[in-house]
Amino acid sequence: MPVTAERLPNGLILWQDDTYFKLGQDSVLLSAFAKPRRNARVLDLGCGTGALALLLYRPGLAITGLELQQGALALFRRSIADNGVPITAKNGDLREIRTLFPHGSMDYVICNPPYFDRRAGKSAPSPEKRAARQDGSCTVEEVAVASSFVLHTGGKAAFVFRPERLWTLLEALSRVRLVPKRLRFVHQNALAAPSAVLVECRKGGSAEGLIVEPPLLVESAEYREIYGI
């Protein structure tokens, strides 16, 4: 497959090809929604070709991307080198997180987890894309466990997910002490049903205090500003 370069809204270059899922709205919106503190240690779980990590990057953040597929990781490493940014790309399976990172070593986790149950609906067209979009390689529960393991108490994680499976995500997070603190739905316009949901949670603490933010509308000035258009 031909390799192509995509200019991200923050000016960085993303190398990608058709073998793997290309840059999509989810990564752009999650990078705008996530709020790691200054100088935070950030882990992108299942980073693919690195779109989310590159979008989130700013000086001071110590970002690591973890990816199972070597081909996707090679593209990510090419992007890191060409952009000259101090991001780490690590090969590994998040289901083996205990062998990859120390417990409590991260301040913030970002993840665009597999949306769909592998038993439901039509399969993705390739093994690489099935790994990214269906939970055959890892389940939502395994993503939650990995996130909780690497976060210290008080650390945070941000996810983008399908609204119709929101309870699946929230239930998995609650089992590992990840408490939702911010929630935002994405809609095409004010009359449309949500197409995505953004969730930020905190490890430990009270279940009180969930903030449901105003909806993010694709047909809005805010959306265009996120994309830099």
Side-chain angles (χ1 to χ4, degrees):
M1 294 289 180
V3 177
T4 58
E6 175 90 16
R7 179 75 66 176
L8 298 175
N10 62 2
L12 297 182
I13 292 293
L14 170 71
W15 286 102
Q16 52 188 350
D17 69 34
D18 288 336
T19 305
Y20 307 98
F21 269 102
K22 290 189 170 183
L23 175 67
Q25 172 181 277
D26 294 339
S27 293
V28 177
L29 298 186
L30 181 57
S31 70
F33 176 78
K35 303 296 181 188
R37 62 170 175 77
R38 187 178 180 183
N39 299 324
R41 297 161 297 173
V42 180
L43 177 62
D44 181 359
L45 281 175
C47 64
T49 58
L52 182 54
L54 291 165
L55 283 161
L56 189 70
Y57 173 76
R58 61 178 182 266
L61 290 181
I63 301 178
T64 300
L66 178 68
E67 175 54 39
L68 180 62
Q69 300 182 91
Q70 290 280 9
L73 205 64
L75 289 169
F76 185 21
R77 287 174 173 152
R78 180 175 176 179
S79 297
I80 291 170
D82 286 357
N83 287 298
V85 290
I87 297 175
T88 301
K90 185 178 179 68
N91 179 238
D93 188 334
L94 66 81
R95 294 171 294 187
E96 299 172 358
I97 198 75
R98 289 168 177 79
T99 68
L100 300 171
F101 298 96
H103 179 255
S105 57
M106 296 291 168
D107 301 305
Y108 207 97
V109 169
I110 49 175
C111 184
N112 183 356
Y115 273 177
F116 302 109
D117 188 319
R118 63 189 179 280
R119 298 163 297 185
K122 186 177 178 180
S123 309
S126 68
E128 293 83 5
K129 291 182 178 180
R130 282 196 294 274
R133 278 293 175 264
Q134 294 175 283
D135 62 7
S137 296
C138 70
T139 65
V140 175
E141 289 77 11
E142 288 165 336
V143 168
V145 168
S147 300
S148 183
F149 178 81
V150 297
L151 287 171
H152 57 74
T153 298
K156 295 180 179 180
F159 306 91
V160 59
F161 212 56
R162 296 288 295 182
E164 62 267 28
R165 296 193 73 207
L166 177 57
W167 176 243
T168 300
L169 176 63
L170 296 182
E171 190 176 36
L173 295 174
S174 69
R175 291 195 192 108
V176 290
R177 298 177 55 233
L178 293 177
V179 182
K181 291 296 182 182
R182 292 170 57 220
L183 193 68
R184 192 174 196 190
F185 290 95
V186 179
H187 304 248
Q188 180 67 28
N189 54 55
L191 298 178
S195 58
V197 60
L198 301 157
V199 181
E200 185 186 64
C201 53
R202 181 182 186 275
K203 184 175 178 179
S206 168
E208 301 297 325
L210 172 65
I211 297 171
V212 180
E213 299 182 353
L216 174 54
L217 305 181
V218 173
E219 298 173 9
S220 70
E222 181 187 9
Y223 184 91
R224 294 191 295 274
E225 184 179 349
I226 289 170
Y227 269 86
I229 56 178

